[in-house]
């Protein structure tokens, strides 16, 4: 990509590498987004737990009372359990789909924050090139992940920062 002649004319190129996966996992913005999603979907999760407990209770009652029931009573109770099981599965799928949509929205926001932070650290530290995809090996000397993570933490701690979410 760079010829030896152009490097000799312009001086050394300052190159850095960032592990974006670490930033997407360990930054305070990522942790905040994750906690926000947990809180946002806690009601639905509790509802699913309640429905599951209800189905397990119905199943226990059916097993306990099976010998005292007529065949039609058994069939009715089995149908109730099956219907409840399908309702739980349908709600679980709906919640999972909504959670995935919201997770992708938050990830897109977070990726913008990460890119802005990398750009800011790169400019501040005078880097000519910062790479972050498809790196098989990098020396700790050029790894900027911790610097960018510190910068993101500083941004997160600033009041009224656009980068807090």
């Amino acid at each position: 990509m760079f010829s030896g002649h152009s490097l000799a004319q312009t001086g050394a190129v300052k190159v850095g590498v960032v592990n974006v996966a670490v930033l997407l996992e360990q930054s305070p913005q990522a942790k905040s987004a994750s906690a926000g999603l947990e809180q946002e979907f806690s009601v639905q999760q509790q509802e699913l737990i309640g429905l599951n407990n209800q189905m397990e209770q119905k199943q226990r009652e059916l097993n306990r009372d099976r010998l005292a029931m007529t065949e039609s009573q058994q069939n009715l109770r089995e149908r109730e359990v099956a219907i409840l099981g399908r309702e739980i599965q349908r709600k679980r799928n709906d919640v999972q789909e909504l959670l995935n949509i919201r997770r992708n929205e938050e990830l897109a926001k977070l990726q913008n924050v990460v890119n802005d932070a990398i750009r800011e650290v790169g400019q501040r530290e005078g880097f000519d090139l910062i790479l972050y995809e498809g790196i098989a090996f990098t020396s700790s000397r050029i790894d900027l992940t911790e610097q960018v993570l510190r910068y993101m933490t500083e941004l997160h701690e600033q009041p009224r920062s656009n980068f807090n979410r």
Side-chain angles (χ1 to χ4, degrees), residues 55 58 74-85:
M55 183 180 73
K58 285 184 179 285
Q74 286 179 21
N75 290 339
L76 179 64
R77 291 263 186 100
E78 286 171 354
R79 219 170 317 148
E80 288 174 358
V81 170
I83 289 170
L84 192 53

Side-chain angles (χ1 to χ4, degrees), residues 6-15 126-128:
S6 66
L7 285 176
Q9 287 179 337
T10 62
V13 174
K14 190 170 180 182
V15 177
F127 281 86
D128 298 304

